[in-house]
Amino acid sequence: MPQPRIRLVVTGDDFGYCPRRNRGIVECFLSGAVSNVSLLVNAGSAKDGAELARRYSIPIGLHANLSEGLPICEQLRKGSSLVNHKGYFHGKMGFRKALWNGQLNMAEVELELRAQVTLFCDLTGHLPHHMDGHQHVHILPGVREVFACVMSDCRIRFTRVPLEPGLQACSWLPLHLRDFYTQVQQDARESVGIFLKHGIRWPDVYIGLTTMGRNMSVARIKTAISHALETPPAKENGMTSHRPELALVSGLSERDHVLTMELMVHPGYPSLPLEGGCGEGPDDFSQSSDRQHEMETLKDPRLLTFYKEKKIQLCAFKDL
């Protein structure tokens, strides 16, 4: 079988986090290294991010946030199950702990998600082209059902399902990350049926868990893409247009022979200590040099040349 055409969505997450994040992501977009962005509407520079997306015609979706900073829905900032005693979300692991302990009210999750979609529309003038979850909260048990319902009601067609081929073979990952990513993949796998039931789609292949921060390199991105080409996606991958039995799911014909991928990235210049974030200031990852390392890697001429040589077409979710 001939090699399929590849359409690659390179999504810059955390758009709106701070001015330096916005600047770095825009530079990546203008250089052809990023093709799509995901906006944190509760972040300090979300309005600026939306204006930049409009100015430079950057395709933009919603990075729904239930784990960092302040809720958008003001009535949830005090006494709700989503926040701690200071009125902030519980954090990446704190949110998961509260969920596992049965402490989260899913009606409040829905209220916050709808508030974030509404604010996104107010900021950009249109619905999100896609909607995913900050720190992968959208695939967690209970949350994924609510997330899918909100997306369906709002007619948002695309999401992210972080099932990364070859993750277990990545020996450079420390044990704690490998364990966390393994759980993320399990949650993603269990989300598939729910998203399909609501008519939600996603690219055939996801890449990004193994290439975050210092773990990103030109060689590793190339290897991940090559590995994906060698590993036929399973039936659960939402819109597998080059597999005849999935043509109806994807909405594309077999003759199109297209493999769709998403590469999740977090480029930008390091946040300043007192600038940005979602209400509590920037986190350690945001202030580290890892963000700039990603930006420089993504703009590396060797990677951009690889895309051309492999006839990889960068695109956005709205183009799928």
Side-chain angles (χ1 to χ4, degrees):
M1 190 175 188
Q3 179 172 304
R5 285 192 299 119
I6 302 172
R7 305 189 77 187
L8 176 64
V9 181
V10 183
T11 303
D13 278 4
D14 302 342
F15 198 51
Y17 196 85
C18 70
R20 290 169 62 83
R21 177 70 42 72
N22 288 351
R23 176 185 156 201
I25 291 177
V26 169
E27 286 182 12
C28 283
F29 177 78
L30 295 177
S31 67
V34 159
S35 59
N36 190 81
V37 299
S38 223
L39 182 69
L40 283 166
V41 294
N42 74 329
S45 295
K47 182 177 180 181
D48 177 58
E51 291 173 353
L52 288 168
R54 188 180 302 111
R55 183 186 311 165
Y56 294 108
S57 299
I58 304 174
I60 187 169
L62 174 59
H63 203 41
N65 185 3
L66 299 172
S67 57
E68 182 179 354
L70 290 166
I72 290 300
C73 183
E74 291 191 13
Q75 72 185 72
L76 299 177
R77 293 181 179 178
K78 187 175 182 180
S80 82
S81 68
L82 300 185
V83 299
N84 59 26
H85 67 284
K86 295 181 179 179
Y88 295 116
F89 288 134
H90 296 295
K92 182 169 99 173
M93 300 312 296
F95 182 87
R96 286 165 166 81
K97 182 178 179 181
L99 178 66
W100 296 331
N101 290 337
Q103 297 170 343
L104 296 183
N105 182 332
M106 290 302 147
E108 294 176 343
V109 168
E110 180 176 357
L111 198 60
E112 177 62 19
L113 290 176
R114 291 187 184 279
Q116 292 191 22
V117 172
T118 298
L119 180 55
F120 180 97
C121 294
D122 291 344
L123 290 171
T124 66
H126 60 79
L127 281 168
H129 296 147
H130 69 284
M131 181 171 164
D132 57 40
H134 184 49
Q135 299 171 338
H136 308 292
V137 296
H138 67 299
I139 55 171
L140 291 171
V143 178
R144 54 194 174 218
E145 289 84 358
V146 176
F147 196 89
C149 285
V150 171
M151 285 189 66
S152 180
D153 287 351
C154 296
R155 299 186 179 182
I156 302 168
R157 298 171 57 212
F158 292 101
T159 192
R160 169 185 293 160
V161 176
L163 285 167
E164 182 163 352
L167 184 144
Q168 296 302 326
C170 297
S171 59
W172 60 83
L173 291 174
L175 183 60
H176 74 282
L177 280 184
R178 188 187 300 272
D179 288 346
F180 179 71
Y181 293 161
T182 298
Q183 184 60 55
V184 167
Q185 296 218 120
Q186 180 62 33
D187 292 332
R189 196 168 288 111
E190 294 172 358
S191 300
V192 165
I194 294 161
F195 290 151
L196 287 177
K197 177 183 175 182
H198 286 83
I200 297 164
R201 305 195 296 173
W202 58 94
D204 299 322
V205 176
Y206 165 87
I207 302 167
L209 294 176
T210 63
T211 54
M212 279 187 62
R214 285 288 156 187
N215 289 325
M216 180 182 283
S217 69
V218 171
R220 285 175 180 169
I221 293 174
K222 290 166 67 174
T223 297
I225 291 173
S226 298
H227 185 89
L229 286 171
E230 296 165 2
T231 308
K235 287 188 177 184
E236 57 194 14
N237 278 325
M239 50 178 296
T240 313
S241 57
H242 63 286
R243 291 276 301 271
E245 67 270 30
L246 294 183
L248 291 178
V249 175
S250 70
L252 300 173
S253 68
E254 178 186 354
R255 68 177 180 273
D256 286 326
H257 198 51
V258 174
L259 182 70
T260 57
M261 298 185 184
E262 183 190 14
L263 171 60
M264 175 192 75
V265 299
H266 300 81
Y269 293 98
S271 300
L272 299 177
L274 300 178
E275 186 177 62
C278 301
E280 300 174 275
D283 61 17
D284 291 342
F285 180 38
S286 183
Q287 295 179 71
S288 75
S289 60
D290 288 4
R291 300 285 187 164
Q292 189 161 346
H293 171 76
E294 285 200 25
M295 182 177 69
E296 292 168 354
T297 302
L298 292 166
K299 291 164 60 176
D300 192 310
R302 294 174 297 169
L303 182 58
L304 302 181
T305 298
F306 171 77
Y307 293 153
K308 291 179 181 178
E309 290 175 347
K310 294 295 183 179
K311 297 182 173 56
I312 297 172
Q313 177 190 357
L314 267 63
C315 67
F317 278 100
K318 69 182 183 66
D319 302 318
L320 299 179

